[in-house]
Amino acid sequence: MRNLSLPLALTARISPVVVLAAAGWALSSGPATTPATQKESAPQSADESPSGASTAAATKRYAAAPAPCGSIGAATIKSLVPGAKTAGKEIPSTDTALRRTCSWNALKGYDYRWLDVSFEITESDAVAAKSYKENVAEKSGGGSVPGVGDAGYSVVNLTTENKQQTREGVVMIQASNALVTVTYNGSDFESKKAPSTDEINKGAIKAAKEAVAALEGGQKA
């Protein structure tokens, strides 16, 4: 096998130490907005009724993020990330009840694949919806993903560095007060070409559907 000179960005992605230092997001795909759970909530007015508070509490469906590395089936991991350990690698979080992310990546032959699945639990449906809309606004050019959660969006982009193509798909789902983000990308170091848009998009959506199913089957508030 001939020696390969990997592009700088992809070399960084293959190194777990560098990946952890970069908070686990592949290339520039991770949500860039401030996590919704860290945003300041508006102060309650003095005349807010008890019934209003009760209604707000009822809109918080999920109490904690599920284990992200167990949210995707082994068969799906083997299909999307050939050669990767199906157990995945969870990224350290400052609050695992609210934010959890798992990554899988592998280089098999000349083909490289990377998959991230991230869960964020916010304080209410309204906060999650607001954060979802902000994240979608930052990633134009995609389309809706119907039938998953309360709202879904998918976008695929192609980047080229040192003549090496990488195609990356991001799927964002809002499900009640939870946000689910899937990032999936790939490269071929022999042909220098990236996988097709259809392959990356379908793979990211498949992973997102399984992640939302794991969320819905887990702990609820």
Side-chain angles (χ1 to χ4, degrees), residues 17 74 79 84 104 155 167-168 176 219:
V17 175
S79 173
W104 296 263
V155 63
R167 184 165 272 115
E168 180 171 275
S176 187
Q219 181 180 2

Side-chain angles (χ1 to χ4, degrees), residues 133 180 219:
K133 290 177 181 178
V180 181
Q219 181 180 2

Side-chain angles (χ1 to χ4, degrees), residues 6-14 27 161-162:
L6 304 186
L8 178 60
L10 292 174
T11 301
R13 299 184 65 125
I14 294 174
L27 298 179
E161 183 176 343
N162 296 330

Side-chain angles (χ1 to χ4, degrees), residues 130-200:
K130 182 175 183 294
S131 183
Y132 168 81
K133 290 177 181 178
E134 290 173 350
N135 292 338
V136 168
E138 291 186 353
K139 295 190 176 292
S140 61
S144 64
V145 179
V148 188
D150 297 314
Y153 179 80
S154 175
V155 63
V156 178
N157 289 306
L158 176 69
T159 60
T160 303
E161 183 176 343
N162 296 330
K163 299 182 179 180
Q164 173 66 59
Q165 293 183 347
T166 298
R167 184 165 272 115
E168 180 171 275
V170 179
V171 176
M172 293 176 280
I173 305 293
Q174 181 221 337
S176 187
N177 63 306
L179 297 169
V180 181
T181 303
V182 170
T183 304
Y184 180 50
N185 68 58
S187 302
D188 185 321
F189 293 136
E190 183 174 36
S191 69
K192 301 284 187 182
K193 302 295 184 181
S196 69
T197 297
D198 190 58
E199 177 184 342
I200 292 298

Side-chain angles (χ1 to χ4, degrees), residues 12-100:
R13 299 184 65 125
I14 294 174
S15 169
V17 175
V18 176
V19 170
L20 291 179
W25 290 109
L27 298 179
S28 60
S29 67
T33 58
T34 302
T37 51
Q38 294 181 357
K39 295 182 180 178
E40 295 184 1
S41 57
Q44 292 183 336
S45 60
D47 59 351
E48 183 174 354
S49 66
S51 61
S54 178
T55 301
T59 63
K60 182 176 180 179
R61 184 178 184 187
Y62 300 105
C69 294
S71 65
I72 308 298
T76 298
I77 296 300
K78 291 177 181 179
S79 173
L80 298 183
V81 194
K85 294 181 178 179
T86 56
K89 175 72 173 180
E90 184 162 359
I91 305 302
S93 170
T94 56
D95 190 339
T96 55
L98 301 180
R99 289 176 294 278
R100 299 183 73 175

